[in-house]
């Protein structure tokens, strides 16, 4: 299919040629890629005695009324391949007169691609009338060797004489020296089809009805061919039909392939019907397009319901059983996915194998209920064998064998160590004398043992020296040859220390949970007290009554005391108390870089960028280093041993609209330290949870989930903020913001330096393109508050539509680089090609190796790293517009 812009250009070319060649004395025409007329001038229409509208859309090879369709096709395909071609062709006019014409075919290219063919025909009938038949015969002979499976034919309406081209003769095995082939041609049609062919030809010769059919013909050598025959009538200007002509193809191979396909489908259907397992096909909307009898039996719905209703609407319980998730994974991965699960409504186990097939799935389903029951029996047997094997293999555990009355017959060294009785002292004595156990617990354990044959549980036991130990007991009842209980084999493990450690961990976890809860409550209370305190102070400013002023002062004191108490609770919950001293950021970075180069493998490169003369911050240097070291360690794990780590530091001015993942930081100047890796990155769902306590993406035993939560608490306690940006397979960037230190003089905090005046716009229209609604909203409001007009779009395609069809002149585009539908790179490339006069500012959360590098060469004027401040945004927009105006003035 030709793209719309290219098709429009082709239409323009055809219209121009129609005007230019309308009065040409030579016939002229334009053909599309299928050989259909797009244009014909008056000379050609007069020669064929038709109107141009009657020719448009007709096939040139038939309308040309040529006796040599092979030559037409050969030269037409040569022109399509890009080579101009010229040939002499012969044929008959509508009045039956023969003609000779020299035809030239020229390729028409659009953007270097051949999309049509321009043809001209010079009538040579009068100049070359005496040798027309000789030339036509020579051309037929030349082409006969090329095309052996295609030929032309014609039939005279009055004489019914059949004329075949050389290609047709060769295909049917007819001799070249026989002039009248009428009888031979009809004899090649078998009796069962001859009458039907004759009827089609008669309707064409009498009523002008064209035909296209397949039939069997027997060649002169006896070979049966399946041929396709096309034909149409030769009609004079007065409507008189003087004959018929057309083409004939050998389609035996195509028909044979079609038959093989039908046979294969039949065999497949028979196979699917006969197999004992279910097979069904799901379309893109999860509806069944096919189900074999066994599948319909398993699914228990009639075929109409299965075809008209989505699968999950009929089987909602299958979603919880995991089948839908397995099917979705098969579609997403493009690979087969197996899933075995219990389906409760049917009380059966099913195993499905989903194979991606086009837009849908082919599903093979087996009822594995009996198999699953057999597996469960094997699992129980294996569990019993494993327990028995463990009794012998774990020599570090206490192992003892006793009779049903408690008499000890075996006592290993581990039992002697645990209970303090030597083997020679224990054997022959009652186990109840050697090991102290509460009577109620012992009775319950023995009762379970006698009922089930085993006892697995924990007991508190007393040793020879009176110590109480917690013992994990695995007792097995042994039977004699008659199946009667005979003795008890026990494996006892001392888990006293393990239980103590577990209890300690549980207490620590409870304290951590309590701290988290207390922190959350304290935070909410602080939020509620803040407006109370602010209101009291505002009321106190205008209050003149002494008594009321005293009441307000008392309220203010109480609120402040409450705030102090809440502050203590928050400090406990966050656990970040520490010293507060001036911290040299350069020295802190030196320690961090040294650490990074020590712990990172040589396959990880480290890049360091820092601004000149970084200011100091106030805080605990040990805690701050802990935060940065944690970020470097996480980056190391994310890169899996190889990659690029970038550590950067600079200053940042934060305004009221700045957003961070931790909280909204107070406006002012901050020092930011960023740690960026090119590891596996994180999806949005993970980013939302990474600062939660105990949440970790690492494997069990490799992470507690407290690192980032603790880091965030430390940064918050220093008055700073944290920001994270990540893309799957593109890396992660963490940024820590710490407030610059304030210089105190005579106990008074110095006033912050005045901010540089922010530039304003002059009613320019800025298009903001970003898939995050909050960013679009904040950015547009900021720009509008500083003298700009704005429009916005959620993706590149919508942005281009606004520029092309919005009816407004856009002065500048601010676009995110990572967006759905159409990203910033594609948007910028389109604008660079079609609207080079519109300046572009690109933005992204990653500033190395990803978004910024993709912006190079796309006509992007500036690049803003997210998150950006109001000052950074306004200066970038102002400077970019100024530069483009300067360039325009120089050009003028």
């Amino acid at each position: 299919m030709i793209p719309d812009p290219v098709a429009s250009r082709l239409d323009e070319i055809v219209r121009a040629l129609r005007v230019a060649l309308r009065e040409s004395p030579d016939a002229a025409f334009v053909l599309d890629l299928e050989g259909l007329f797009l244009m014909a001038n008056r000379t050609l229409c007069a020669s064929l005695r038709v109107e141009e509208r009657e020719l448009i859309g007709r096939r040139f090879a038939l309308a040309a009324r040529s006796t040599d369709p092979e030559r037409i096709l050969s030269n037409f395909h040569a022109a399509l391949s890009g080579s101009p071609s010229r040939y002499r062709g012969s044929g008959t006019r509508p009045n039956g007169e023969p003609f000779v014409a020299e035809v030239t075919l020229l390729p028409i290219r659009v953007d270097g691609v051949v999309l049509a063919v321009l043809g001209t025909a010079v009538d040579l009938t009068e100049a070359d009338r005496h040798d027309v038949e000789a030339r036509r015969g020579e051309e037929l002979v030349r082409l006969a060797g090329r095309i052996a499976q295609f030929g032309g034919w014609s039939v005279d309406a009055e004489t019914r004489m059949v004329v075949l081209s050389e290609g047709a003769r060769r295909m049917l095995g007819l001799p070249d020296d026989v002039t009248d082939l009428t009888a031979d041609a009809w004899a090649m049609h078998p009796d069962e089809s001859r009458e039907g062919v004759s009827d089609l030809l008669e309707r064409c010769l009498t009523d002008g009805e064209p035909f296209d059919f397949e039939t069997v013909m027997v060649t002169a050598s006896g070979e049966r061919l399946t041929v396709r025959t096309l034909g149409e009538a030769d009609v004079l200007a007065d409507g008189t039909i003087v004959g018929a002509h057309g083409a004939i193809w050998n389609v035996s191979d195509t028909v044979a392939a079609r038959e093989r396909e039908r046979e294969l489908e039949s065999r497949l259907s028979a196979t699917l019907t006969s197999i004992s397992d279910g097979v069904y096909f799901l379309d893109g909307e999860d509806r069944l397009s096919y189900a074999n009898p066994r599948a319909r039996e398993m699914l228990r719905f009639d075929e109409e319901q299965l075809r008209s209703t989505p699968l999950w609407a009929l089987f909602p319980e299958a979603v919880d059983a995991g089948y839908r998730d397995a099917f979705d994974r098969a579609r997403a991965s493009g690979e087969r996915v197996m899933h075995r699960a219990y389906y409760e409504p049917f009380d059966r186990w099913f195993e499905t194998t989903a194979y991606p097939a086009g837009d849908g799935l082919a599903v093979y389903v087996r009822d594995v209920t009996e198999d699953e029951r057999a597996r469960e029996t094997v699992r129980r047997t294996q569990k019993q064998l494993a327990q028995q094997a463990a009794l012998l293999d774990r020599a570090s555990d206490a192992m003892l064998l006793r009779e049903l009355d408690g008499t000890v017959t075996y006592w290993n060294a581990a039992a002697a160590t645990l209970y303090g009785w030597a083997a020679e002292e224990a054997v022959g004595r009652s186990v109840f004398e050697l090991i102290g156990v509460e009577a109620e617990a012992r009775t319950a354990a023995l009762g379970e043992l006698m009922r089930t044959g085993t006892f697995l549980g924990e007991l508190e036991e007393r040793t020879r020296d009176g110590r109480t130990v917690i013992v994990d007991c695995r007792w097995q009842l042994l039977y004699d040859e008659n199946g009667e209980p005979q003795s008890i084999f026990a494996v006892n493990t001392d888990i006293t220390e393990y239980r103590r450690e577990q209890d300690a961990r549980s207490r620590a976890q409870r304290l951590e949970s309590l701290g988290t809860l207390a922190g959350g409550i304290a935070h909410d209370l602080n939020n509620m007290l803040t407006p109370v305190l602010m209101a009291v102070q505002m009321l106190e400013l205008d209050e003149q009554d002494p008594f009321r002023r005293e009441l307000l002062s008392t309220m203010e004191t109480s609120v402040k005391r409450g705030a102090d108490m809440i502050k203590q609770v928050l400090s406990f919950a966050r656990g970040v108390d520490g010293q507060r001293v001036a911290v040299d950021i350069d020295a802190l970075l030196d320690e961090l870089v040294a650490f990074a180069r020590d712990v990172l493998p040589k396959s990880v490169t480290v890049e360091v960028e820092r601004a000149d003369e970084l200011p100091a911050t106030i805080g605990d240097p040990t805690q701050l280093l802990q935060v940065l070291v944690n970020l470097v360690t996480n980056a190391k794990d994310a890169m899996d041993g190889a990659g690029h780590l970038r550590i950067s530091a600079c200053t940042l001015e934060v305004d009221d609209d700045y957003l961070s993942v931790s909280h909204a930081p107070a406006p002012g100047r901050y020092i930011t330290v960023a740690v960026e890796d090119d590891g596996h990155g994180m999806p949005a769902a993970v980013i939302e949870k990474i600062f939660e306590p105990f949440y970790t993406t690492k494997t069990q035993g490799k992470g507690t989930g407290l690192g980032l939560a603790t880091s965030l608490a430390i940064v918050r306690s220093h008055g700073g903020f944290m920001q994270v940006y990540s893309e799957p397979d593109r890396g992660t960037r963490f940024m820590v913001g710490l407030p610059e230190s304030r210089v105190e003089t005579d106990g008074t905090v110095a006033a912050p330096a005045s901010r540089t005046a922010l530039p304003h716009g002059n009613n320019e229209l800025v298009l903001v393109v970003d898939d995050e609604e909050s960013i679009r909203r904040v950015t547009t409001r900021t720009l509008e508050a500083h003298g700009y007009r704005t429009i916005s779009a959620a993706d590149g395609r919508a942005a281009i539509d606004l520029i092309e069809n919005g009816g407004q002149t856009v002065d500048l585009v601010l676009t995110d680089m990572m967006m759905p539908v159409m990203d910033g790179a594609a948007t910028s490339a389109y604008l660079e090609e079609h609207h080079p006069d519109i300046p572009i500012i690109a933005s992204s959360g990653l500033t190395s190796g990803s978004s910024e590098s993709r912006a190079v060469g796309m006509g992007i004027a500036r690049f803003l790293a997210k998150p950006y401040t109001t000052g950074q945004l306004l200066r970038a927009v102002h400077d970019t517009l100024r530069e483009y105006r300067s360039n325009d003035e120089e050009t003028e």
Side-chain angles (χ1 to χ4, degrees):
M1 184 175 181
I2 302 175
D4 291 341
V6 177
S8 297
R9 294 182 60 187
L10 178 59
D11 290 340
E12 294 175 1
I13 293 172
V14 172
R15 287 196 296 270
L17 290 173
R18 177 179 285 111
V19 173
L21 301 175
R22 178 182 291 119
E23 304 298 333
S24 173
D26 297 326
F29 52 93
V30 177
L31 307 177
D32 67 9
L33 297 178
E34 300 296 327
L36 305 179
F37 279 98
L38 294 176
M39 184 275 286
N41 72 347
R42 291 179 179 177
T43 301
L44 178 60
C45 293
S47 174
L48 298 177
R49 298 189 180 181
V50 295
E51 297 293 333
E52 184 185 22
R53 57 182 175 81
E54 296 178 277
L55 280 179
I56 300 302
R58 288 188 61 188
R59 191 171 300 279
F60 172 65
L62 294 178
R65 308 178 59 83
S66 172
T67 59
D68 191 1
E70 295 96 334
R71 168 171 288 191
I72 293 178
L73 288 176
S74 174
N75 284 273
F76 174 71
H77 287 298
L80 288 183
S81 67
S83 301
S85 64
R86 177 175 295 165
Y87 67 96
R88 285 193 179 186
S90 60
T92 58
R93 302 186 192 278
N95 61 2
E97 295 179 358
F99 71 89
V100 176
E102 185 178 79
V103 181
T104 302
L105 298 178
L106 302 172
I108 298 177
R109 293 181 172 86
V110 177
D111 293 337
V113 179
V114 177
L115 295 182
V117 172
L118 170 63
T120 60
V122 179
D123 191 349
L124 302 179
T125 306
E126 294 298 325
D128 211 10
R129 177 180 298 274
H130 298 290
D131 59 353
V132 166
E133 291 299 328
R135 288 197 187 106
R136 182 172 59 184
E138 291 173 359
E139 292 297 332
L140 289 174
V141 172
R142 186 176 61 84
L143 291 173
R146 295 185 184 179
I147 305 175
Q149 299 297 309
F150 174 83
W153 60 269
S154 64
V155 174
D156 186 271
E158 181 178 353
T159 65
R160 294 299 193 268
M161 180 178 178
V162 177
V163 177
L164 297 177
S165 71
E166 184 65 25
R169 291 171 181 247
R170 178 166 297 186
M171 180 177 68
L172 298 174
L174 295 173
D176 296 338
D177 55 355
V178 178
T179 303
D180 189 355
L181 296 173
T182 304
D184 293 334
W186 285 109
M188 290 181 172
H189 289 284
D191 295 340
E192 62 271 15
S193 62
R194 187 177 301 139
E195 183 177 354
V197 174
S198 177
D199 288 344
L200 290 173
L201 181 60
E202 286 301 319
R203 285 201 296 271
C204 181
L205 292 172
T206 56
D207 301 331
E209 182 179 330
F211 55 85
D212 181 350
F213 66 91
E214 287 184 7
T215 186
V216 174
M217 294 186 71
V218 181
T219 67
S221 63
E223 181 183 2
R224 292 177 67 89
L225 302 179
T226 302
V227 297
R228 180 183 176 189
T229 305
L230 284 79
E232 64 178 16
D234 293 332
V235 185
L236 300 180
D238 60 0
T240 303
I241 299 175
V242 298
H245 68 278
I248 182 172
W249 286 272
N250 179 2
V251 295
S252 300
D253 293 341
T254 302
V255 172
R258 197 161 58 218
E259 290 299 324
R260 287 195 297 270
E261 183 177 346
R262 279 198 289 264
E263 181 181 357
L264 180 60
E265 290 178 354
S266 176
R267 290 181 181 177
L268 177 60
S269 177
T271 301
L272 294 177
T273 301
S274 63
I275 62 176
S276 59
D277 295 323
V279 176
Y280 60 86
F281 294 88
L282 291 179
D283 62 18
E285 297 180 353
D286 290 325
R287 291 185 174 89
L288 265 73
S289 58
Y290 170 82
N292 73 345
R294 178 56 177 154
R296 295 195 294 271
E297 178 184 342
M298 289 180 174
L299 297 175
R300 302 185 184 181
F301 280 93
D302 61 53
E303 190 168 357
E304 179 59 30
Q305 289 176 299
L306 293 172
R307 290 182 180 275
S308 61
T309 308
L311 186 69
W312 312 117
L314 297 175
F315 304 97
E317 296 85 358
V319 177
D320 295 333
Y323 291 104
R324 182 170 188 172
D325 179 65
F327 289 8
D328 290 344
R329 283 189 284 114
R331 281 194 175 98
S333 65
E335 299 177 353
R336 70 182 182 95
V337 174
M338 296 182 63
H339 181 67
R340 178 182 289 216
Y342 175 70
Y343 187 62
E344 184 175 2
F346 293 173
D347 189 25
R348 309 293 292 177
W349 284 80
F350 294 102
E351 181 181 85
T352 61
T353 305
Y355 300 86
D359 294 334
L361 290 175
V363 181
Y364 180 84
V365 57
R366 292 195 306 130
D367 186 336
V368 292
T369 305
E370 297 305 322
D371 181 33
E372 197 64 30
R373 290 172 180 170
R375 287 188 180 187
E376 181 60 28
T377 301
V378 171
R379 281 195 291 266
R380 286 197 300 267
T381 303
Q382 289 176 341
K383 179 179 178 180
Q384 185 176 11
L385 292 174
Q387 290 172 341
Q388 295 172 351
L391 296 175
L392 301 175
D393 294 336
R394 298 189 59 179
S396 60
D397 296 329
M399 302 172 61
L400 54 133
L401 183 65
R402 60 186 175 92
E403 305 293 341
L404 294 181
D405 61 358
T407 303
V408 175
T409 58
Y410 174 76
W411 186 275
N412 73 345
T417 302
L418 176 59
Y419 296 111
W421 299 95
E424 55 271 18
E425 296 175 310
V427 173
R429 295 180 63 178
S430 172
V431 71
F432 307 128
E433 298 175 4
L434 303 173
I435 304 173
V437 181
E438 291 293 334
E440 184 177 352
R442 177 188 295 135
T443 301
L446 289 174
E448 181 177 347
L449 175 67
M450 299 307 294
R451 286 193 309 272
T452 65
T454 59
F455 169 72
L456 303 175
E458 296 179 6
L459 294 175
E460 283 190 2
E461 299 178 342
R462 289 183 299 278
T463 64
R464 184 175 188 175
D465 58 6
R467 290 181 300 108
T468 298
V469 293
I470 301 175
V471 178
D472 180 25
C473 302
R474 281 94 66 202
W475 299 352
Q476 181 70 44
L477 188 61
L478 304 180
Y479 301 87
D480 59 17
E481 61 275 9
N482 298 321
E484 295 296 328
Q486 183 180 35
S487 57
I488 299 170
F489 188 79
V491 176
N492 296 339
T493 304
D494 183 5
I495 60 171
T496 306
E497 290 300 319
Y498 170 79
R499 284 297 177 207
R500 289 174 181 170
E501 292 173 1
Q502 189 178 55
D503 290 342
R505 287 194 296 270
S506 298
R507 286 194 296 272
Q509 290 172 356
R510 287 196 297 273
L511 286 175
E512 290 176 355
S513 300
L514 179 61
T516 302
L517 177 62
I521 295 174
H523 182 267
D524 292 339
L525 288 175
N526 208 12
N527 284 341
M528 289 186 285
L529 287 178
T530 298
V532 175
L533 180 59
M534 295 175 63
V536 168
Q537 291 173 339
M538 291 181 64
L539 291 172
E540 192 174 11
L541 291 175
D542 298 328
E543 183 59 58
Q544 302 299 325
D545 185 89
F547 177 71
R548 292 189 178 184
R549 288 181 62 85
E550 184 178 354
L551 289 178
L552 291 172
S553 178
T554 302
M555 292 173 63
E556 180 179 357
T557 302
S558 298
V559 173
K560 287 181 177 179
R561 286 187 61 192
D564 290 339
M565 294 174 63
I566 293 170
K567 183 177 180 181
Q568 294 175 6
V569 173
L570 286 172
S571 298
F572 162 75
R574 295 170 177 169
V576 292
D577 290 339
Q579 60 177 328
R580 292 294 183 264
V581 298
V583 179
D584 186 340
I585 298 298
D586 282 310
L588 193 68
L589 286 176
D590 290 339
E591 291 188 55
L592 178 64
V593 172
F595 169 80
R597 287 175 173 156
D598 285 341
V599 301
L600 295 175
K602 293 182 179 179
S603 54
V604 175
T605 59
V606 180
E607 177 187 354
V608 182
E609 293 183 8
R610 66 179 83 183
D612 297 333
E613 299 181 1
L614 289 170
T617 189
I618 299 298
D620 188 320
T622 301
Q623 291 179 353
L624 295 179
L625 182 61
Q626 174 189 342
V627 171
L628 300 177
V629 164
N630 183 52
L631 296 181
V632 170
T633 303
N634 287 347
K636 169 180 173 289
D637 295 338
M639 290 186 288
D640 296 328
H644 181 76
L645 180 71
R646 181 172 178 261
I647 301 172
S648 59
C650 62
T651 58
L652 174 71
E653 184 172 338
V654 171
D655 53 32
D656 292 331
D657 294 328
Y658 188 86
L659 299 175
S660 77
V661 296
S662 56
H663 63 290
R669 293 189 62 80
Y670 289 78
I671 310 145
T672 63
V673 180
V675 177
E676 185 174 349
D677 65 72
D678 57 1
H680 51 66
M682 298 175 290
V686 173
I687 295 175
E688 292 177 357
K689 298 180 179 180
I690 55 173
F691 289 102
E692 295 179 4
F694 308 110
Y695 180 81
T696 179
T697 59
K698 298 178 181 178
T699 57
Q700 186 173 1
K702 292 189 177 181
T704 63
L706 293 174
L708 288 175
T710 303
S711 298
L712 179 58
I714 291 173
V715 172
R716 281 178 170 175
S717 71
H718 284 71
F721 62 90
M722 290 188 73
Q723 182 65 278
V724 60
Y725 187 88
S726 185
E727 299 172 12
D729 300 324
R730 292 185 177 274
T732 302
R733 180 176 183 261
F734 279 95
M735 186 177 73
V736 175
L738 300 169
E740 291 185 8
S741 63
R742 307 293 176 86
V743 180
E744 296 186 2
T745 304
D746 298 330
T748 304
V749 178
S754 61
R755 299 182 184 178
T756 304
L758 296 176
H760 275 64
N762 190 23
N763 207 35
E764 295 94 337
L765 180 61
V766 178
L767 171 56
V768 179
V769 190
D770 203 298
D771 59 321
E772 291 290 342
E773 182 182 358
S774 60
I775 295 177
R776 294 198 306 272
R777 184 172 59 253
V778 172
T779 303
T780 54
R781 288 181 179 177
T782 300
L783 290 170
E784 289 169 358
H786 290 81
Y788 297 95
R789 294 178 296 120
T790 65
I791 54 176
S792 62
D795 56 68
R797 184 173 297 170
I800 291 173
D801 185 62
L802 284 174
I803 293 175
E804 301 286 4
N805 305 311
Q808 302 183 75
T809 301
V810 175
D811 296 299
L812 182 140
V813 173
L814 172 63
T815 179
D816 184 27
M817 293 302 289
M818 296 299 299
M819 296 180 294
V821 183
M822 185 176 186
D823 63 9
T827 304
S828 301
Y830 179 88
L831 293 178
E832 171 66 10
E833 180 179 356
H834 297 279
H835 299 277
D837 56 326
I838 301 179
I840 304 169
I841 298 177
S843 66
S844 176
L846 290 181
T847 58
S848 65
S850 59
S851 300
E852 189 170 7
S853 63
R854 294 171 63 196
V856 176
M858 298 178 186
I860 291 176
R862 274 178 172 75
F863 190 88
L864 279 177
K866 289 183 179 179
Y868 46 77
T869 65
T870 297
Q872 291 172 327
L873 171 64
L874 293 175
R875 291 188 187 95
V877 173
H878 178 270
D879 293 346
T880 301
L881 288 171
R882 183 183 60 190
E883 291 171 3
Y884 267 70
R885 290 194 194 100
S886 299
N887 293 338
D888 291 341
E889 291 173 359
E890 292 176 1
T891 302
E892 293 175 359

